Amino acid sequence: MAAVTLLEDWCKGMDLDPRKALLIVGIPVECSEMEIKETVKAGLQSLCAYRVLGRMFRREDNAKAIFLELADVVNFAMIPSEIPGKGGAWEVVVKPRNSDDEFITRLNYFLKDEGRKMADVAKILGYSSVTEGVEPEGSSQFKLTVLQPLKESMWYRKLKVFSGNTFPGPGEENFEIWLEHVIEMMKMWQVSMVEKRRRLLESLCGPALSVMRMLLANNDSMTVEQCLDALTQIFGSKEDYRTSQFKFFQTFQLSGEKISVFLLRLEPLLQKAVQHSPLSIRSTDMIRLKHILARANMTTSLRGKLKLLDQRGCPPTFLELMKLIRDDEEWEITMAVMKENQRKKERDRRASDSQVVAEATVSVPQGIVQAGPHCENSTQTIQERVAPCLKRRRLSGHGSGEEAYYQDIRPKTENAPPPKESPPLAAEERGNEAGAGAMSHPKP
């Protein structure tokens, strides 16, 4: 078990604040209680008062450990990481420092040196409801009513900058974007109205800041809502709902633009078009649906779903329509990936087949060259066996039978194409025919 974990578990078991406790580990087993007390007293003499609450043996490092309770929160600037002792240095373990808690601790020490209280700081920041005389230490009520708002006042996300110029400079926003951001952040901040107004003025510069200072000089009690209304009247858009509707209806899907992106670009224009128009807010969903059907390119399946909703008079909300569109886009992407993988497999298969055919084509001529002499010898052997049979049949023939036989044989021989591979065999065959004729028909 880590030493920090042991410290936290010990504090939980004894209901102590971990910021007011520390652990000393690495104490040799042979050290007596008196030696431990003297060593700790010498090493922690610069700290506040403390007392030893317990001792234990740690099997991990084969040494003892002692648990101490401090009278005040640990001062990380003064606490040593180790103290010299018997057998070497003894490690001092405290809860890891928290930047917020450490800052508040340092602030407390600073206020003590200045003769001030935390309540004075809260009062300066606009929290006049804090009870007078509450000390920073030992009061849970103070932590709930002052400390948390104080942290909220110290750490916050600054607003975007608005100057009021016709062309916003670097780091500045136009009025519509700035106003939307300010309204959103004002809802999140749990601070006083004075602090909200201070942060609002902090985000202004140029003509906008000059106008706001003039208005506050005439009426110091203006709320944040009144300030925003005044800025809207001066720097807000002057277009009426007819212009907003015209911009909305003239919005088309760009080439290569996804329907979901087109819908996101279309929604602010739609909200502005129906904001001050006679159109009912309930008809916004139907207007959105009809505009998407008329201005967007989509798949047949998605168009069928949207047309069905239009015919039934049940238009989807913005989120429902976005879900339908995103699901269809995801399906199209999935199908495109599957088709691409299938085409890739087909190309790989064709390449593999072409390679096999090429290898087979290279190996075939060698086989033909090797088989050539064998085929030639086989042809010669067959013809040698056929020749004696022809001779015997010719010798056994009589008269016109031989002539008929020759008439049957000769045209076939004459019409047959001359052999290409074995001319010697053809010559030998003609020689045999001549010899057979001489023996069958002796000259008179």
Side-chain angles (χ1 to χ4, degrees):
M1 181 184 295
V4 177
T5 305
L6 178 61
L7 173 63
E8 293 176 351
D9 294 346
W10 213 327
C11 291
K12 288 180 180 179
M14 303 189 70
D15 297 329
L16 293 178
D17 186 357
R19 299 175 302 172
K20 294 183 178 181
L22 60 83
L23 196 67
I24 299 179
V25 299
I27 303 173
V29 179
E30 58 271 13
C31 278
S32 63
E33 184 177 355
M34 186 59 65
E35 291 176 335
I36 294 175
K37 288 184 178 180
E38 292 178 356
T39 304
V40 172
K41 182 179 180 180
L44 303 180
Q45 59 182 357
S46 59
L47 292 178
C48 58
Y50 64 88
R51 62 172 180 162
V52 179
L53 295 182
R55 297 188 301 272
M56 68 172 296
F57 174 75
R58 296 187 71 217
R59 190 180 301 274
E60 292 85 348
D61 52 5
N62 194 26
K64 292 181 180 179
I66 60 174
F67 179 67
L68 283 73
E69 180 187 9
L70 304 179
D72 201 352
V73 179
V74 175
N75 188 354
F76 291 96
M78 301 180 62
I79 191 73
S81 59
E82 58 185 22
I83 59 176
K86 184 178 180 180
W90 298 357
E91 182 183 359
V92 179
V93 181
V94 295
K95 182 184 178 182
R97 61 175 61 188
N98 183 290
S99 59
D100 295 348
D101 295 338
E102 184 180 358
F103 177 80
I104 296 298
T105 302
R106 291 182 178 180
L107 181 60
N108 285 330
Y109 286 123
F110 172 76
L111 293 176
K112 286 181 180 179
D113 295 338
E114 295 293 326
R116 294 275 187 165
K117 301 176 182 179
M118 192 73 77
D120 298 333
V121 179
K123 186 177 181 179
I124 294 174
L125 293 177
Y127 301 99
S128 57
S129 61
V130 179
T131 305
E132 296 292 338
V134 178
E135 294 294 330
E137 301 87 11
S139 176
S140 59
Q141 181 183 1
F142 173 80
K143 293 182 180 180
L144 293 176
T145 59
V146 177
L147 192 57
Q148 189 62 33
L150 181 60
K151 291 183 179 181
E152 181 69 22
S153 300
M154 293 176 179
W155 297 280
Y156 66 94
R157 178 184 174 186
K158 291 187 176 182
L159 297 173
K160 297 179 180 180
V161 179
F162 173 67
S163 63
N165 294 321
T166 306
F167 301 100
E172 299 177 359
E173 299 288 348
N174 59 44
F175 182 75
E176 284 74 16
I177 297 178
W178 175 83
L179 180 62
E180 182 180 356
H181 173 68
V182 170
I183 293 175
E184 180 182 357
M185 295 303 296
M186 289 297 175
K187 294 179 180 178
M188 295 174 56
W189 286 336
Q190 302 296 324
V191 294
S192 64
M193 187 60 62
V194 176
E195 177 65 16
K196 286 183 179 181
R197 193 174 64 181
R198 186 193 67 80
R199 297 181 186 183
L200 176 64
L201 292 175
E202 185 182 48
S203 67
L204 299 176
C205 64
L209 180 59
S210 301
V211 169
M212 204 67 246
R213 284 176 176 173
M214 181 185 64
L215 294 175
L216 290 176
N218 296 328
N219 183 10
D220 189 28
S221 61
M222 288 182 64
T223 63
V224 174
E225 289 76 11
Q226 292 174 347
C227 294
L228 293 178
D229 291 340
L231 292 173
T232 303
Q233 292 178 8
I234 300 172
F235 301 101
S237 177
K238 300 299 187 297
E239 66 180 26
D240 56 1
Y241 70 91
R242 294 184 181 86
T243 307
S244 301
Q245 288 181 6
F246 178 78
K247 289 183 178 180
F248 169 75
F249 288 118
Q250 293 301 317
T251 304
F252 294 84
Q253 183 182 11
L254 301 178
S255 177
E257 185 180 27
K258 291 184 177 181
I259 309 179
S260 57
V261 178
F262 174 57
L263 180 60
L264 289 175
R265 186 166 58 88
L266 184 69
E267 188 63 21
L269 299 175
L270 174 60
Q271 296 299 329
K272 185 178 290 186
V274 300
Q275 185 175 6
H276 301 292
S277 67
L279 298 176
S280 174
I281 300 298
R282 298 179 181 178
S283 60
T284 303
D285 296 337
M286 182 60 72
I287 296 174
R288 183 190 304 111
L289 176 60
K290 289 185 177 294
H291 192 84
I292 288 293
L293 285 172
R295 296 288 191 263
N297 296 322
M298 62 189 72
T299 60
T300 306
S301 60
L302 179 60
R303 185 173 293 276
K305 293 178 183 178
L306 298 183
K307 280 187 175 180
L308 184 60
L309 293 174
D310 184 18
Q311 293 172 1
R312 292 180 178 178
C314 301
T317 62
F318 172 76
L319 294 179
E320 293 172 348
L321 181 59
M322 178 62 73
K323 185 178 185 305
L324 288 174
I325 293 174
R326 292 296 300 273
D327 290 345
D328 185 76
E329 290 177 349
E330 290 293 333
W331 173 253
E332 289 296 320
I333 293 174
T334 304
M335 294 301 297
V337 171
M338 292 177 61
K339 290 180 180 179
E340 181 62 26
N341 293 336
Q342 187 175 0
R343 285 195 293 266
K344 184 178 179 181
K345 290 181 181 179
E346 186 68 19
R347 288 195 299 268
D348 295 343
R349 186 183 64 80
R350 290 179 180 177
S352 178
D353 294 344
S354 301
Q355 185 178 1
V356 172
V357 171
E359 293 176 356
T361 304
V362 172
S363 61
V364 165
Q366 298 178 357
I368 294 175
V369 173
Q370 294 177 358
H374 175 71
C375 296
E376 186 176 345
N377 295 335
S378 301
T379 305
Q380 184 177 0
T381 304
I382 292 172
Q383 291 182 356
E384 289 177 355
R385 292 179 180 177
V386 170
C389 296
L390 292 174
K391 291 180 181 180
R392 285 194 296 271
R393 292 183 63 179
R394 290 169 184 170
L395 290 175
S396 61
H398 297 283
S400 62
E402 289 182 355
E403 294 176 359
Y405 177 77
Y406 277 106
Q407 291 177 358
D408 293 338
I409 295 298
R410 285 174 183 172
K412 296 179 181 180
T413 306
E414 291 175 357
N415 295 332
K420 297 180 180 180
E421 299 293 336
S422 55
L425 295 177
E428 183 179 354
E429 186 176 351
R430 286 194 299 271
N432 291 337
E433 289 179 357
M439 292 178 64
S440 302
H441 303 278
K443 295 181 179 180

